[in-house]
Amino acid sequence: GRQRRRSPVDLRGHHQRAHSRCARALASPRPYATPPVRAGRMASAETAALQREWADVTPIPQEVSDQFCAQINYEPDFAATMDIFRAVIKSGEKTQRALELTEKVIEGNAANYTAWFYRRECLFALNSDLRPELELVTDFALNSPKNYQIWHHRRAIVDKLGDGSEELHFTTQILNEDSKNYHAWSHRQFALQRFNLWAGELDFIQSLLEKDLRNNSAWNQRWFVVKHTDGFHSADVRLRELQYAFEWAKKAPNNESPFNYIRGIMRHPEFDEISTVREFAEHLRDQLRPAPREEDEEDNSEAEHPCSTNPPPLLALLVEVYTSTHHIEEALELCDQLAKVHDTIRQKYWYWKAGRIHAMHHHATVTDVDSAPAAAAASAPPAP
């Protein structure tokens, strides 16, 4: 069993071990470069030693048939390991040697779900120390950071341990290399909820946005944190989050992320700050518009791209604001401008949006007109 442990995670050592694993894999003959494996074929001294250790087990070779659409052409060493692994699964053996065998299988194919599952079964059955397992998983995660099975295994181990003290640091290191790694974000959210590690998470998100204000994953994480801590039920929290998003929107008006965040708040059942959103959006639009020139002033400036003075994310937000406040003409006018000038790549969408706004407004108007006589009759005094 592994006895090494580092706290906090020392990724330099993990990188070296992950690189060593990768080098060993690359040094081996690749599956597509080897001839088909025959049952009982001994590929190396390592395989011979493995088969001596498992001499009491009858290997189960890969099924071969000319009816198969495609045959897996295993590298000989790996084929011998898999033959034994199939037999172990069939017998249900959960011993230390079975645990070590799963590592060999995983080294050959880290995406083998069955191997990870059976490894957990062995760990739990043997009541093994699970902390060294985190080190193993860290090695594999650094070598294959977007492997579903690795992250699922780590979550199961951490959950069983009941200790998430290393998880935020670990995921931070992964996110520093790839700030949009879905698996790292998902695991981080699990750790935050499972171990109540919310303190400091908003500061972490702030640091990511300062590096890349277009990091939509960081915006998603902020929503997740606020939703599970303060919640959006309080008007003070909603106003705080609106102001936060507004400040980032000013820095890059063509960045959709803060505007999407604002729209998310607007969809909350208790949202009642539409006037605040409208005031901000219109003020920002006015700030971005070029100042009018005097009649005799010569224009020496270069022509600006339409999106620099009329960013589509801002105008799209205004469409929703005007629709919500029943300023239908303003909403339809913006849809037309977006379709024809400012967001032509989504021209069909904006025509569809305009049609939908018009239809909804027409339906509401007709409903009001139709209900007027009934309302008047209901409120009329009874006939004498």
Side-chain angles (χ1 to χ4, degrees):
R2 293 169 175 265
Q3 301 301 323
R4 295 172 297 173
R5 186 190 173 200
R6 295 172 177 80
S7 181
V9 178
D10 179 2
L11 288 187
R12 289 175 298 179
H14 285 296
H15 274 298
Q16 292 171 356
R17 290 192 298 279
H19 177 75
S20 177
R21 290 177 186 277
C22 185
R24 289 200 304 271
L26 291 174
S28 303
R30 308 314 297 156
Y32 50 76
T34 57
V37 178
R38 295 186 297 274
R41 177 179 175 183
M42 308 246 279
S44 69
E46 182 180 356
T47 297
L50 181 68
Q51 292 180 334
R52 284 195 300 272
E53 180 183 0
W54 290 91
D56 58 316
V57 172
T58 301
I60 300 177
Q62 174 191 354
E63 186 179 354
V64 177
S65 171
D66 57 5
Q67 300 299 314
F68 291 168
C69 178
Q71 188 73 38
I72 300 176
N73 194 15
Y74 289 120
E75 186 269 330
D77 280 327
F78 188 61
T81 303
M82 286 299 299
D83 291 351
I84 297 173
F85 184 54
R86 292 188 194 97
V88 170
I89 292 176
K90 185 176 181 179
S91 68
E93 177 181 336
K94 295 181 176 67
T95 59
Q96 184 62 35
R97 68 173 185 171
L99 177 63
E100 294 169 0
L101 179 67
T102 61
E103 184 172 349
K104 292 182 180 295
V105 174
I106 291 167
E107 283 183 339
N109 176 15
N112 189 326
Y113 173 84
T114 304
W116 285 109
F117 171 79
Y118 203 77
R119 182 172 182 81
R120 286 193 296 278
E121 294 282 295
C122 291
L123 286 166
F124 299 158
L126 296 170
N127 197 26
S128 301
D129 180 3
L130 298 180
R131 294 193 180 278
E133 188 71 7
L134 290 182
E135 184 174 308
L136 174 74
V137 179
T138 297
D139 290 348
F140 278 107
L142 291 172
N143 191 34
S144 183
K146 294 188 177 181
N147 183 317
Y148 284 90
Q149 285 72 33
I150 292 172
W151 287 99
H152 180 73
H153 185 73
R154 187 179 185 101
R155 178 180 297 196
I157 297 302
V158 170
D159 187 54
K160 186 77 171 178
L161 271 171
D163 179 10
S165 58
E166 294 186 358
E167 300 315 289
L168 295 189
H169 178 74
F170 172 66
T171 53
T172 296
Q173 302 306 311
I174 296 293
L175 292 171
N176 282 340
E177 297 188 12
D178 179 3
S179 64
K180 298 184 179 181
N181 185 316
Y182 165 81
H183 307 282
W185 280 117
S186 179
H187 186 76
R188 190 179 184 91
Q189 291 182 353
F190 151 75
L192 289 169
Q193 288 186 290
R194 172 69 171 81
F195 304 106
N196 194 27
L197 302 174
W198 304 104
E201 188 65 8
L202 290 181
D203 292 334
F204 171 69
I205 295 167
Q206 175 75 12
S207 69
L208 290 181
L209 290 176
E210 287 172 354
K211 294 177 184 177
D212 176 14
L213 53 78
R214 291 176 173 81
N215 186 343
N216 55 295
S217 296
W219 282 101
N220 179 73
Q221 182 74 351
R222 184 175 182 92
W223 181 275
F224 177 84
V225 173
V226 174
K227 178 182 177 182
H228 288 90
T229 53
D230 296 331
F232 289 96
H233 299 286
S234 165
D236 290 339
V237 173
R238 292 196 299 272
L239 183 59
R240 181 194 74 191
E241 294 304 300
L242 286 171
Q243 291 174 339
Y244 182 84
F246 291 161
E247 290 303 313
W248 284 103
K250 290 178 184 177
K251 297 178 182 180
N254 275 294
N255 176 21
E256 288 188 84
S257 295
F259 292 102
N260 288 338
Y261 193 83
I262 293 169
R263 279 203 289 272
I265 298 173
M266 290 172 62
R267 284 164 171 72
H268 193 275
E270 298 174 46
F271 176 74
D272 192 32
E273 292 78 26
I274 191 68
S275 60
T276 301
V277 176
R278 177 175 178 175
E279 180 182 352
F280 157 77
E282 291 181 337
H283 179 67
L284 180 57
R285 181 183 60 181
D286 293 341
Q287 283 185 318
L288 294 173
R289 285 177 175 172
R293 299 189 308 275
E294 300 294 336
E295 292 184 3
D296 58 347
E297 182 181 355
E298 184 179 356
D299 181 16
N300 295 319
S301 63
E302 295 183 4
E304 292 184 318
H305 192 280
C307 288
S308 62
T309 54
N310 291 280
L314 172 59
L315 299 186
L317 177 64
L318 279 170
V319 169
E320 292 207 23
V321 169
Y322 289 147
T323 303
S324 299
T325 55
H326 305 291
H327 291 77
I328 304 304
E329 293 302 320
E330 289 89 338
L332 292 175
E333 181 181 353
L334 281 180
C335 286
D336 190 63
Q337 292 177 11
L338 284 161
K340 293 180 179 178
V341 182
H342 306 304
D343 196 19
T344 55
I345 195 170
R346 291 187 288 188
Q347 184 181 76
K348 291 183 178 180
Y349 166 78
W350 289 115
Y351 284 145
W352 171 86
K353 181 74 172 177
R356 183 172 175 80
I357 292 172
H358 179 79
M360 291 176 64
H361 175 66
H362 177 71
H363 175 74
T365 303
V366 170
T367 302
D368 291 343
V369 171
D370 290 344
S371 62
S379 61

